[in-house]
Amino acid sequence: MMATRSVVCDVARRYRFASGIGSNSAALLAAACYRHIIGRAARRLTAGVFAFAIGIPAAWAAASDEIVAARFVDPVARYGHFAAGPAHEYARIEARTGSGARLVHVLPETEVFEDVEPRLVRLAGDQPQRLLAVVSHVRRGAALMLLGIENKQLVVIARSAAIGTPMRWLNPVATAGLDNDGIAEIAAVITPHINGILKIYRQSGAKLVEIAALGGFSNHVYGSAELGLAMLWEEGGRKRLLIPDQSRMVLRVVEFAAGRLRETGRCVLAAPATGAITDLGEGTIEITHGAGTQRLRPANCRP
């Protein structure tokens, strides 16, 4: 039928051109032709839209079901350590997906989120975004918790071993592929107020497993909601961690390679670090301390 109508249209166009607009027969044939052309175009457009709609549902679904934002809710006082200041202990975490769905994970009475805000992280390119948070247990102290969506529920995907003592806390530094192997590591300073230890973790099933450690760090002032006293710094394709020492008077430059942590440089600060480190670009950072701010070039920090 479609082939016949196409031939009729072609004949109509030729006949109308040859015999003039005044021909009723040609006009009728032309009208039928135009209806056919418009109908065919509409069908093609509809088919194209339909094919587009059904051709990428997996990608759209994955994007819409992914976590795009999160927050802690329901502040509580049942633990009472408040490493990050009053009101920064919470009973629940709430996540929002790209489609607008809101999911909540509620902790048992023995735990709180002792944290300021959840961190959106992706541990591998083929994995969805997860949430990284600090959770504290009334008897075992703090641990890292990784949460994600499974069966449309916000659940615990993995967690690290707890410090082992109540009222002991940890502060994450960064989540990144520190050794450029395609798998992200999680860096955190354990007990930053007491002989702080920088530890590197990788996910292994339901566990965040410690794979490297180095002592002598502090990336937090007790009672402060500012958790950004350390940062990931990248230059020339190399990733390094910038973290104050235990006194917060020296900024240490640390590299993770071949499964080990190694200090590559130190820069002395004018006063103890108290605030966030900011990357100003072109190899320069700015750090806030007790005397104001100080600009440094980490590449110039020597061992």
Side-chain angles (χ1 to χ4, degrees), residues 56-68 96-100 122 125-129 149:
I56 56 171
W60 276 10
S64 64
D65 289 341
E66 190 167 74
I67 299 171
V68 296
R96 179 170 57 83
T97 69
S99 64
R122 194 187 302 275
D126 60 349
Q127 291 186 8
Q129 288 201 132
I149 298 176

Side-chain angles (χ1 to χ4, degrees), residues 4-20:
T4 302
R5 285 182 179 177
S6 296
V7 171
V8 169
C9 282
D10 185 58
V11 171
R13 282 193 294 268
R14 293 180 182 180
Y15 182 67
R16 189 177 187 188
F17 177 79
S19 56

Side-chain angles (χ1 to χ4, degrees), residues 4-294:
T4 302
R5 285 182 179 177
S6 296
V7 171
V8 169
C9 282
D10 185 58
V11 171
R13 282 193 294 268
R14 293 180 182 180
Y15 182 67
R16 189 177 187 188
F17 177 79
S19 56
I21 296 177
S23 170
N24 291 333
S25 297
L28 290 172
L29 283 171
C33 168
Y34 294 149
R35 285 197 299 272
H36 164 62
I37 292 172
I38 292 170
R40 184 171 60 181
R43 285 193 297 274
R44 285 180 175 176
L45 177 61
T46 302
V49 170
F50 180 71
F52 177 77
I54 67 170
I56 56 171
W60 276 10
S64 64
D65 289 341
E66 190 167 74
I67 299 171
V68 296
R71 62 175 182 164
F72 297 117
V73 291
D74 192 8
V76 293
R78 64 194 184 210
Y79 186 54
H81 185 220
F82 298 121
H88 287 303
E89 293 182 6
Y90 303 88
R92 296 184 296 149
I93 186 171
E94 180 182 89
R96 179 170 57 83
T97 69
S99 64
R102 294 187 181 275
L103 306 173
V104 175
H105 181 81
V106 182
L107 291 176
E109 289 291 320
T110 54
E111 293 181 326
V112 297
F113 289 111
E114 193 174 5
D115 208 345
V116 175
E117 59 183 26
R119 301 151 193 83
L120 278 169
V121 301
R122 194 187 302 275
L123 299 186
D126 60 349
Q127 291 186 8
Q129 288 201 132
R130 312 286 199 194
L131 297 175
L132 181 67
V134 179
V135 61
S136 292
H137 189 276
V138 294
R139 292 187 301 275
R140 297 191 289 270
L144 292 169
M145 178 181 282
L146 192 68
L147 300 103
I149 298 176
E150 288 188 355
N151 299 320
K152 298 184 179 181
Q153 301 291 319
L154 186 62
V155 299
V156 178
I157 301 296
R159 61 191 298 166
S160 70
I163 293 172
T165 303
M167 306 296 172
R168 295 291 183 269
W169 188 70
L170 61 86
N171 188 15
V173 175
T175 300
L178 299 176
D179 56 359
N180 296 318
D181 66 350
I183 304 295
E185 291 81 26
I186 301 170
V189 175
I190 312 303
T191 61
H193 317 117
I194 310 169
N195 301 319
I197 301 172
L198 172 63
K199 292 188 177 184
I200 306 297
Y201 296 87
R202 273 189 183 155
Q203 184 185 1
S204 178
K207 296 181 178 180
L208 296 176
V209 180
E210 177 190 333
I211 59 173
L214 186 65
F217 297 90
S218 178
N219 63 339
H220 187 252
V221 177
Y222 183 81
S224 171
E226 177 56 73
L227 307 187
L229 274 66
M231 69 172 290
L232 175 71
W233 181 66
E234 185 172 359
E235 187 176 61
R238 295 174 62 191
K239 295 184 179 72
R240 279 158 284 185
L241 301 171
L242 307 180
I243 313 172
D245 73 348
Q246 189 65 58
S247 70
R248 303 196 316 277
M249 285 291 299
V250 175
L251 186 67
R252 301 178 67 180
V253 183
V254 180
E255 186 175 52
F256 176 70
R260 298 179 62 238
L261 286 165
R262 180 176 68 93
E263 181 181 291
T264 63
R266 288 180 167 230
C267 277
V268 177
L269 304 178
T274 57
I277 303 178
T278 304
D279 188 349
L280 301 179
E282 298 182 352
T284 302
I285 64 163
E286 184 174 81
I287 185 166
T288 303
H289 52 53
T293 60
Q294 183 175 345

